[in-house]
Amino acid sequence: MALPVETFFLHPDAQGTLQSQIQQMIAQGILSGRFQRGEKLPSTRKLAIHLGVSRITVTIAYTELLANDYLTSRGRSGYYVSENAPVPPAFTPSQAGPDAVDWTRAIGQRFSGGDMPRKPSDWGGYRFPFIYGQADPELFDHANWRLCALKALGQKDFTALTTDYYDQDDPQLIEFIARHTLPRRGIAARPEQILITLGAQNALWLTTQVLLTQRRRAALEDPCYHALRDILSQSRCHTTPVRVDADGMPPDAIPPDTDVIFTTPSHQCPTTNTMPMHRRHDLLERAAEMDALIVEDDYEFEMSFLKSPSPALKSLDTDGRVIYVGSFSKSLFPGLRLGYLVGSEPFIREARALRASVLRHPPGHVQRTAAYFLSLGHHDALIRRMGGALHERREVMAKAIAAHDLQIAGQGAYGGSSFWMRADNGVDTHELARRLQARGVLIEPGHSFFSGPARPKDYYRLAYSSIPANRIADGVAIVADEMRAMSHLGLSEASNWP
């Protein structure tokens, strides 16, 4: 029996080429059971006329389905659903009833319920998205990334694509990091001292698991990257938040019984302040006195477009006590989830074994694609383009902030992609963010960056990486207008932060 041509239609929101859409349409029909084994498909001519596409497009789609054994050809008789085509399951899934498990008792350790900020999934549809860390489609090099991904899919790289590295990494990516990326930060490292991770956050988790126990103490910046605080909390180690000043973490404020110090010296998160050289040396001396280790998250060092970045803290380390965390997710795109750890070989050996037991290794295709994008110079070109755009946006935002008398609490002297702000008259920025969202403006409230029960609520972050320069001034004006309105309504509180 022939399937009626009216059974076939292309979804208006479908992605991909017409050829791939036709392939997907027919394959889904077979997998769902709508098209049965042995049924005849419309001719290529009839289906092409019905769908409004060229006959060759349908022919190519049929040919691909033939190659995958979804279809079979019977000479002049036409195309049929193959007898070897997959069939849907014969059973009907049962309707699940309510759980009989008491999950409040069964769950041994809780990881949900934190206050990590979440941005709307449709943030790109807002006119004024002052949100941090998202890729700007106008700046990203789509064409060359696509070419590198296709190159990594080629026969030459079949092993890199399909192999089980177990606890190892793509040698091409490791070589590029060792020979090009790290020397730019003043760091010399052998391949045995480098480990690829699923972004900086995964690197921090691995480091915490290897170095800290319930009996050890970690010192972290306050305010700091909120995910780090959650990671340390999960390890159940003792933690000491150390308030940062204009130069970052003060070494003298670190408790003497500290085992591991976490710091972001290049661009402190979230204040964006850069730790000067004299304090970097002081921090290294303080760590040596306590026999403590330092974990350096080299946050946003690529975004130093105002002046050349300072050498990494790791480059000044002569004792091997600094563990370096780097990431490509900030300079490329956050969905890449690709970072790296650099440290002494005994530490990397343990981190490598832990990674292998949890996730083995990051996907080979992602590693090889990144290796090509880096080694062919596309990453450097992207950084230069981003630096120029961010420099322009920063100047526009600084002028708009000054024009509306908004208060800057921190602005990186070297660059970065955001301003750390303080609201007027102690305005609650969580409520400010809620009210601004209704006006098409997204900001990031700052309370989640702080430690302790009495977190200040009058800080917020204005990022300019995801918004065009020509929209910044209007968006800042709305922020100022809403803040004044809240101040008049008395929606504020006193802050306990200096």
Side-chain angles (χ1 to χ4, degrees), residues 306-425:
L306 295 179
K307 56 176 92 168
S308 297
S310 299
L313 191 65
K314 176 68 175 171
S315 71
L316 308 175
D317 173 30
T318 58
D319 296 342
R321 67 177 66 256
V322 176
I323 295 166
Y324 181 89
V325 175
S327 175
F328 296 115
S329 297
K330 291 287 186 294
S331 57
L332 287 172
F333 50 91
L336 180 65
R337 308 313 314 142
L338 203 62
Y340 50 95
L341 272 171
V342 182
S344 296
E345 195 170 341
F347 164 75
I348 292 296
R349 185 187 306 119
E350 298 305 317
R352 187 182 303 280
L354 175 59
R355 190 196 68 176
S357 70
V358 176
L359 54 87
R360 299 182 84 86
H361 60 83
H365 179 249
V366 174
Q367 293 194 57
R368 183 54 57 92
T369 300
Y372 281 136
F373 195 80
L374 293 163
S375 62
L376 293 173
H378 303 314
H379 183 249
D380 287 343
L382 176 62
I383 293 299
R384 288 192 295 271
R385 185 163 58 253
M386 288 176 61
L390 293 180
H391 195 174
E392 178 192 7
R393 295 175 187 184
R394 177 190 172 91
E395 290 183 340
V396 172
M397 181 170 281
K399 291 178 181 177
I401 289 171
H404 293 282
D405 294 323
L406 296 179
Q407 182 180 352
I408 297 175
Q411 52 180 327
Y414 286 74
S417 61
S418 64
F419 285 86
W420 181 238
M421 307 292 294
R422 190 170 190 174
D424 297 337
N425 302 319

Side-chain angles (χ1 to χ4, degrees), residues 2-5 8 40-47 58 62 79:
L3 291 164
V5 72
F8 300 81
K40 183 178 181 181
L41 272 71
S43 68
T44 56
R45 182 182 61 82
K46 285 185 179 179
L47 187 56
V58 178
Y62 276 13
Y79 294 92

Side-chain angles (χ1 to χ4, degrees), residues 4 34 91 118 121 193 214 258 281 377 386 395 435-436 498:
R34 290 191 296 117
F91 62 88
R118 295 181 180 273
S121 58
Q193 298 173 317
Q214 296 182 34
T258 298
H281 287 291
M386 288 176 61
E395 290 183 340
R435 294 165 66 101
L436 285 171

